[in-house]
Amino acid sequence: MIASLRGTTLTTGLDHLVVEVGGVGMLVHTTPAVAAANRPGQEATLATSLVVREESLTLYGFSDSSERDLFEQVQTVSGVGPRLALAMLSVHDPDALRAAIGDGDLVALTKIPGIGKKSAERIVLELRDKVGVAAGTGGSSTAPAAPADQHLQQVSEALVGLGWSAKQADDAVERVTAAEPASTDVSQLLRLALRELGR
């Protein structure tokens, strides 16, 4: 298993990085906060989880081992795979997710695309006594500005990738840009759109 990765960030997307390690570019799927905290040309150090499937090897990267451990822990619940686990950490930071599970906060959990009331109840039932609220590090960095319409397209694509329909994503982006017409910061717009969709 690949437990951590350190190397130069070659490229960043809304939900992934390519990190060069020993001359090999490794595609690492991340939360928008982790992706925004890394810049091309800078060194990245990530705690990682390798998901092995018959047809693929997929690497997921996190800011620290605590976040990675939570990613792996939520997958012990039936019906929660790596994509849904990553969506959970994209909508809520690790401490907020632990608190939602520990407190049985179904409203917070059902804000995550792909989790309905029954799934949220199952997550709480199976993990409530296992997740402790640990001090985490939130990714509060901002991403570099993108050209005019491209940043809106990136936000829509990220929302669709997290499980919302294209129409829901476009509507949320429209509402956010109406409220913040001058903003071109992709990570900020994504956070606002996630908040909008969580209402």
Side-chain angles (χ1 to χ4, degrees), residues 15-37:
D15 60 357
H16 67 275
L17 305 169
V18 176
V19 181
E20 185 176 21
V21 181
V24 177
M26 308 277 261
L27 175 63
V28 185
H29 297 274
T30 65
T31 63
V34 173

Side-chain angles (χ1 to χ4, degrees), residues 1 31 47-49 60 62-77 80-82 84-102 109 112 123 126-137:
M1 171 163 171
T31 63
T48 58
S49 178
Y60 294 87
F62 306 93
S63 57
D64 56 37
S65 58
S66 170
E67 187 176 17
R68 177 197 59 210
D69 294 346
L70 184 58
F71 169 79
E72 292 174 347
Q73 191 171 37
V74 296
Q75 289 179 72
T76 62
V77 177
V80 178
L84 186 53
L86 193 65
M88 292 169 82
L89 287 163
S90 297
V91 173
H92 299 295
D93 66 51
D95 285 345
L97 183 56
R98 283 189 190 93
I101 294 169
L109 292 172
I112 301 161
I123 290 166
E126 292 187 30
L127 295 180
R128 174 178 255 161
D129 298 329
K130 297 178 185 173
V131 298
V133 178
T137 55

Side-chain angles (χ1 to χ4, degrees), residues 148-149 151-153 155-156 169-185 188-190 192-193 196:
D149 288 339
H151 65 284
L152 300 179
Q153 183 64 32
V155 174
S156 287
D170 290 343
D171 288 349
V173 169
E174 199 174 298
R175 288 194 299 271
V176 167
T177 50
E180 300 277 339
S183 179
T184 57
D185 183 328
Q188 182 194 4
L189 287 170
L190 182 59
L192 292 170
E196 191 69 38

Side-chain angles (χ1 to χ4, degrees), residues 103-124:
D103 296 340
D105 186 349
L106 301 183
V107 173
L109 292 172
T110 54
K111 286 181 180 178
I112 301 161
I115 295 184
K117 188 168 184 252
K118 285 189 176 177
S119 297
E121 287 170 347
R122 188 168 59 243
I123 290 166
V124 169

